[in-house]
Amino acid sequence: MQRTTRELLRAAARHSGARCTVLCLVSVATAGAGLLLPAALGRALDLLLAGAPAGRWVAACAVLVLSLTVLDACQTVLTGTVDARTTAFLRRRTTGHVLAAGPRPAARFGPGDLVARLVGSAAQAGTSPAARAALLAALAGPVGGVVALALIDPWLAAVFLTGAPALTLLLRALARDTSACVAEYQRAQGRIAAALAEAVGGARTVRAAGTADRDMARILRPLPELARAGRRMWHVQGRASARAVAVAPLLHLGVVAVAGLLLARHRLSAGDVLAASRYAVLATGVGVLVGRLSGLVRARAAADRLGEVLARPVPVYGDRRLPPDGPGRLELRGVTARHDGRTVLDGVDLVVPGGSTLALVGRSGSGKSLLAALAGRLADPDAGQVLLDGVPLPDLSRAELRAAVAHAFDRPALLGTTVEDTIGLGLPRPSPARVREAARSARADDFVRRLPAGYATPCAHAPHSGGEAQRLGLARAFARGGRLLVLDDALSSLDTVTEHQVTRALLDPDRPGTRLVVTHRAGTAARAERVAWLDGGRIRAVGTHAELWREAAYRAVFAPDEEGADT
């Protein structure tokens, strides 16, 4: 994961490379102007005390002050621009990775924590390139101040360097302690975000149960930990600043005292003492370094959280194509799949002949949904192969696979601007006729036409029940077509009449392709050509519903009120 974080930060720096370079140059120019100003002030003072013309040096001081003002403004604008561009880059890259990786990152981190990483952590990590670019200038001030003191008189630099080890230890301790407390703070934030997302998604359940206060307490349970981490973070920075404040004035006082002695011995002029005093301030600019270093540590901790997401594997696609006239034959060979360390499917062998309909039944937790996900490569098995028309799914290109397999789920996500958009989702150029034909097959056309703007009704404003949402999801799957249609409990919220009508459209002899239907209903299983009975992660039997119904264990798979369904 550390390697992933380093690669991510390098990519972010390359993305804003030109602006970071300009920012670095502007920061160095600002530091350079800041280092030149004390010398110019000292020279102007000496000339004025001597009664000599000092107009040129006074003008130089004015130009340097104006330059510092302009450069500081440019640095502020560039820093904001680089931060915004880098944050946008990190969000695009991480979001693209999450979508390409499929449902496993959300299952691993939880939707709330994942969103917190994509939003908050990306914004914090986005400050890294600008902070690195400005760090050079933050170092240039103290280093340049020490060099300038040495040029004025070596004794001044020697006095200052006596405190250098203390400053080095201070910065090292700051980086170590800040990294630990920032990571703890961000983890607590992620847990609060995850609990909040869960509660918002289950708002109806919370209200029906009357547990709002209890859920509020559950959401805010990590708050004390968050507060402790925040206080610790401020304590670390405050302690570092306090130590810097204790050390820096002593060093500054030592430099000024030695400069005064050298002035009394006529080795320095009054202007040299003024310059030395200003350079001592620059050399003790630990506060700037503390701020920059703290920002870099926070950015690195946030990048680590993004690195954890990017470390999740993304499916690799091949470049093969399916046989042009393949019927959609689905085959699983010795498929084993695990979830959260538990073996859900164990050595499954299954063949679904092309053009047929197979119902997949089993008790809850038997692995039906995972098998359906494997059939369309929404997940990959830990062992074994899944083939479509004789071609292993990983060998297919992404476009070929997604054009060949369509999915419908028990809780479809109705994405898209309008109802027509959500039905045509994933199609390059969905025609209105194709969208409406798919809606009619899914028995969604009637209620869509009754919406205020029909198919042009915005999805967010379209009232729909669970069954209506499932019908829109089915319509989307019918519109996509393809060789294989996978229905993962996608009929569960339909009433009996609608379910019968949709199943009849699904089993239409004129409809091409193969159908894999995950179901809990005996009636749906009865209308399928064959049934695969999944039990304990293995295929226990394959046959017609009528054949399997003779076994009591098979009948027990279905709800008691369905035992009298048509067999």
Side-chain angles (χ1 to χ4, degrees):
M1 196 273 293
Q2 294 294 326
R3 179 182 177 185
T4 304
T5 300
R6 289 194 298 270
E7 292 174 351
L8 178 64
L9 291 177
R10 282 197 292 266
R14 287 194 299 270
H15 176 72
S16 300
R19 285 177 172 80
C20 284
T21 301
V22 175
L23 176 59
C24 186
L25 294 175
V26 170
S27 300
V28 171
T30 303
L35 289 170
L36 290 174
L37 183 58
L41 288 171
R43 182 59 177 163
L45 178 61
D46 285 339
L47 291 173
L48 289 171
L49 291 176
R56 291 172 56 187
W57 285 101
V58 172
C61 292
V63 170
L64 286 172
V65 170
L66 180 61
S67 299
L68 283 170
T69 304
V70 173
L71 289 170
D72 184 66
C74 293
Q75 186 175 355
T76 301
V77 172
L78 282 169
T79 299
T81 303
V82 171
D83 288 351
R85 283 176 54 84
T86 307
T87 299
F89 167 78
L90 292 174
R91 285 175 177 163
R92 283 196 302 268
R93 178 162 178 170
T94 311
T95 301
H97 185 91
V98 168
L99 296 178
R104 290 198 172 184
R108 165 67 176 80
F109 300 106
D113 187 26
L114 199 56
V115 170
R117 292 170 190 253
L118 294 176
V119 178
S121 297
Q124 187 69 65
T127 63
S128 178
R132 287 178 179 274
L135 185 62
L136 179 61
L139 288 169
V143 173
V146 173
V147 172
L149 288 174
L151 292 175
I152 295 173
D153 193 284
W155 279 105
L156 300 178
V159 170
F160 181 85
L161 290 176
T162 57
L167 294 178
T168 302
L169 292 175
L170 172 66
L171 294 176
R172 183 177 179 182
L174 173 69
R176 183 186 64 247
D177 296 342
T178 301
S179 179
C181 58
V182 166
E184 182 182 351
Y185 187 87
Q186 291 178 348
R187 284 194 297 268
Q189 275 186 324
R191 285 196 292 274
I192 291 175
L196 179 60
E198 183 182 63
V200 170
R204 289 189 302 176
T205 302
V206 171
R207 184 170 184 180
T211 59
D213 293 340
R214 187 187 308 168
D215 279 275
M216 177 69 75
R218 179 178 61 85
I219 293 168
L220 300 179
R221 190 172 298 143
L223 200 58
E225 181 182 347
L226 185 74
R228 283 195 302 272
R231 285 193 297 269
R232 183 184 171 197
M233 189 160 50
W234 286 112
H235 177 71
V236 167
Q237 295 184 22
R239 184 173 57 192
S241 298
R243 290 174 178 174
V245 168
V247 174
L250 292 176
L251 294 176
H252 181 254
L253 182 61
V255 170
V256 172
V258 172
L261 289 175
L262 295 175
L263 175 65
R265 294 178 181 181
H266 304 289
R267 289 177 54 181
L268 295 180
S269 65
D272 290 335
V273 174
L274 173 62
S277 176
R278 297 301 307 161
Y279 284 129
V281 171
L282 290 174
T284 55
V286 179
V288 177
L289 277 175
V290 166
R292 297 296 183 191
L293 192 58
S294 298
L296 278 174
V297 171
R298 290 194 296 271
R300 178 55 187 259
D304 283 339
R305 286 171 57 78
L306 296 181
E308 290 178 355
V309 177
L310 294 174
R312 308 300 296 177
V314 172
V316 178
Y317 294 88
D319 55 4
R320 292 184 61 181
R321 299 181 63 86
L322 291 168
D325 298 323
R329 184 177 186 269
L330 176 68
E331 184 177 359
L332 281 74
R333 296 178 181 173
V335 167
T336 296
R338 301 179 182 89
H339 181 67
D340 289 338
R342 180 176 66 93
T343 300
V344 180
L345 298 175
D346 186 11
V348 171
D349 294 300
L350 179 65
V351 175
V352 185
S356 67
T357 301
L358 178 78
L360 187 63
V361 305
R363 292 185 178 276
S364 296
S366 59
K368 301 185 299 299
S369 291
L370 181 55
L371 193 151
L374 295 172
R377 212 192 170 199
L378 299 182
D380 286 323
D382 295 287
Q385 281 188 315
V386 182
L387 302 93
L388 183 61
D389 284 331
V391 181
L393 296 188
D395 292 350
L396 295 172
S397 68
R398 184 198 299 266
E400 184 77 0
L401 175 63
R402 293 305 159 214
V405 183
H407 292 265
F409 305 100
D410 58 338
R411 296 180 181 178
L414 302 182
L415 307 175
T417 306
T418 65
V419 172
E420 184 168 358
D421 289 339
T422 198
I423 295 176
L425 186 72
L427 296 176
R429 294 177 181 175
S431 66
R434 183 172 180 176
V435 167
R436 283 154 181 75
E437 176 60 31
R440 283 191 289 271
S441 297
R443 297 301 183 266
D445 182 69
D446 289 342
F447 84 81
V448 171
R449 289 183 181 277
R450 291 195 297 269
L451 294 175
Y455 284 88
T457 303
C459 283
H461 302 153
H464 46 259
S465 64
E468 289 169 341
Q470 278 198 346
R471 280 185 273 172
L472 291 176
L474 286 164
R476 180 165 59 205
F478 287 155
R480 287 186 63 86
R483 303 188 185 206
L484 176 64
L485 177 59
V486 181
L487 306 184
D488 185 3
D489 212 17
L491 308 174
S492 58
S493 295
L494 303 184
D495 60 81
T496 304
V497 174
T498 304
E499 186 260 347
H500 180 74
Q501 293 171 338
V502 171
T503 304
R504 187 169 59 188
L506 184 68
L507 300 178
D508 188 339
D510 295 330
R511 181 177 295 279
T514 305
R515 279 80 61 182
L516 178 65
V517 183
V518 175
T519 184
H520 292 87
R521 291 184 174 183
T524 304
R527 285 186 282 272
E529 295 173 50
R530 295 181 70 78
V531 177
W533 177 13
L534 194 61
D535 185 29
R538 295 176 176 272
I539 299 295
R540 182 164 173 175
V542 177
T544 65
H545 179 70
E547 293 169 348
L548 298 178
W549 192 261
R550 300 188 184 102
E551 296 196 34
Y554 177 79
R555 295 195 300 271
V557 168
F558 302 97
D561 59 344
E562 291 191 330
E563 288 191 358
D566 180 19
T567 61

Tab-separated table of all heavy atoms in Angstrom, residues 18 42 61 152 173 198 203 205 208 283 308 336 389 413 426 446 475 485 494 517:
chain	number	residue	atom	x	y	z
A	18	ALA	N	3.619	21.386	-14.476
A	18	ALA	CA	3.985	22.717	-14.965
A	18	ALA	C	3.663	23.785	-13.923
A	18	ALA	O	4.497	24.657	-13.616
A	18	ALA	CB	3.256	23.010	-16.273
A	42	GLY	N	20.013	47.295	5.253
A	42	GLY	CA	21.249	47.599	5.977
A	42	GLY	C	22.130	48.563	5.207
A	42	GLY	O	22.700	49.508	5.791
A	61	CYS	N	14.906	48.946	-2.020
A	61	CYS	CA	14.074	48.397	-0.933
A	61	CYS	C	12.600	48.449	-1.295
A	61	CYS	O	11.842	47.498	-1.043
A	61	CYS	CB	14.331	49.180	0.356
A	61	CYS	SG	15.992	48.942	1.039
A	152	ILE	N	28.046	37.908	6.652
A	152	ILE	CA	28.248	39.126	7.445
A	152	ILE	C	29.418	38.923	8.403
A	152	ILE	O	30.324	39.751	8.490
A	152	ILE	CB	26.963	39.496	8.199
A	152	ILE	CG1	25.850	39.871	7.201
A	152	ILE	CG2	27.201	40.657	9.163
A	152	ILE	CD1	24.490	40.082	7.841
A	173	ALA	N	10.378	15.006	15.473
A	173	ALA	CA	9.317	14.570	16.391
A	173	ALA	C	7.958	15.024	15.895
A	173	ALA	O	6.959	14.301	16.010
A	173	ALA	CB	9.589	15.128	17.790
A	198	GLU	N	-25.259	4.566	6.355
A	198	GLU	CA	-26.122	3.423	6.652
A	198	GLU	C	-27.471	3.884	7.216
A	198	GLU	O	-28.527	3.379	6.838
A	198	GLU	CB	-25.415	2.513	7.643
A	198	GLU	CG	-26.181	1.238	7.975
A	198	GLU	CD	-25.438	0.412	9.010
A	198	GLU	OE1	-25.260	0.922	10.142
A	198	GLU	OE2	-25.055	-0.715	8.695
A	203	ALA	N	-33.445	5.111	6.512
A	203	ALA	CA	-34.220	6.124	7.240
A	203	ALA	C	-35.633	5.643	7.552
A	203	ALA	O	-36.164	5.904	8.645
A	203	ALA	CB	-34.256	7.425	6.439
A	205	THR	N	-36.661	2.566	8.010
A	205	THR	CA	-36.605	1.568	9.078
A	205	THR	C	-36.377	2.232	10.431
A	205	THR	O	-37.000	1.850	11.439
A	205	THR	CB	-35.467	0.570	8.787
A	205	THR	OG1	-35.705	-0.045	7.513
A	205	THR	CG2	-35.392	-0.502	9.859
A	208	ALA	N	-39.643	3.878	11.455
A	208	ALA	CA	-40.667	2.894	11.811
A	208	ALA	C	-40.367	2.244	13.158
A	208	ALA	O	-41.286	1.935	13.931
A	208	ALA	CB	-40.752	1.817	10.724
A	283	ALA	N	16.321	32.892	9.704
A	283	ALA	CA	16.950	31.611	10.022
A	283	ALA	C	16.170	30.838	11.072
A	283	ALA	O	16.218	29.598	11.109
A	283	ALA	CB	18.387	31.845	10.501
A	308	GLU	N	-5.234	2.811	0.028
A	308	GLU	CA	-5.925	1.584	0.439
A	308	GLU	C	-7.031	1.230	-0.557
A	308	GLU	O	-7.266	0.056	-0.848
A	308	GLU	CB	-6.522	1.763	1.830
A	308	GLU	CG	-5.489	1.839	2.942
A	308	GLU	CD	-6.128	2.075	4.290
A	308	GLU	OE1	-7.359	2.273	4.334
A	308	GLU	OE2	-5.406	2.068	5.304
A	336	THR	N	-14.702	-21.937	-7.407
A	336	THR	CA	-14.661	-21.708	-5.965
A	336	THR	C	-14.556	-20.207	-5.734
A	336	THR	O	-13.736	-19.532	-6.379
A	336	THR	CB	-13.466	-22.417	-5.317
A	336	THR	OG1	-13.617	-23.838	-5.479
A	336	THR	CG2	-13.362	-22.098	-3.828
A	389	ASP	N	-20.052	-19.339	-24.263
A	389	ASP	CA	-19.834	-19.871	-25.612
A	389	ASP	C	-18.390	-20.337	-25.804
A	389	ASP	O	-17.759	-20.094	-26.835
A	389	ASP	CB	-20.201	-18.830	-26.677
A	389	ASP	CG	-21.715	-18.709	-26.847
A	389	ASP	OD1	-22.417	-19.709	-26.610
A	389	ASP	OD2	-22.192	-17.614	-27.201
A	413	ALA	N	-30.446	0.276	-9.276
A	413	ALA	CA	-30.100	1.688	-9.143
A	413	ALA	C	-30.608	2.411	-10.379
A	413	ALA	O	-30.167	2.123	-11.498
A	413	ALA	CB	-28.591	1.850	-9.012
A	426	GLY	N	-26.349	2.469	-20.677
A	426	GLY	CA	-25.339	1.552	-21.187
A	426	GLY	C	-25.433	1.315	-22.678
A	426	GLY	O	-24.498	0.759	-23.258
A	446	ASP	N	-47.145	1.047	-18.873
A	446	ASP	CA	-48.392	1.681	-18.419
A	446	ASP	C	-48.133	2.713	-17.327
A	446	ASP	O	-48.630	3.846	-17.396
A	446	ASP	CB	-49.366	0.609	-17.913
A	446	ASP	CG	-49.933	-0.228	-19.044
A	446	ASP	OD1	-49.850	0.223	-20.202
A	446	ASP	OD2	-50.436	-1.336	-18.775
A	475	ALA	N	-36.703	-3.621	-17.500
A	475	ALA	CA	-36.771	-2.987	-18.813
A	475	ALA	C	-35.378	-2.629	-19.310
A	475	ALA	O	-35.057	-2.786	-20.495
A	475	ALA	CB	-37.652	-1.735	-18.743
A	485	LEU	N	-28.820	-13.210	-20.087
A	485	LEU	CA	-29.562	-12.305	-19.217
A	485	LEU	C	-29.558	-12.914	-17.818
A	485	LEU	O	-30.024	-14.046	-17.621
A	485	LEU	CB	-30.997	-12.132	-19.722
A	485	LEU	CG	-31.927	-11.265	-18.872
A	485	LEU	CD1	-31.379	-9.861	-18.721
A	485	LEU	CD2	-33.321	-11.233	-19.490
A	494	LEU	N	-42.490	-8.093	-7.473
A	494	LEU	CA	-43.625	-8.030	-8.379
A	494	LEU	C	-44.804	-8.817	-7.803
A	494	LEU	O	-44.611	-9.854	-7.159
A	494	LEU	CB	-43.255	-8.598	-9.748
A	494	LEU	CG	-42.054	-7.948	-10.466
A	494	LEU	CD1	-41.893	-8.567	-11.852
A	494	LEU	CD2	-42.210	-6.446	-10.566
A	517	VAL	N	-31.909	-17.190	-13.834
A	517	VAL	CA	-32.848	-16.489	-12.958
A	517	VAL	C	-32.655	-16.952	-11.521
A	517	VAL	O	-32.911	-18.120	-11.197
A	517	VAL	CB	-34.312	-16.732	-13.404
A	517	VAL	CG1	-35.270	-15.937	-12.532
A	517	VAL	CG2	-34.487	-16.371	-14.873
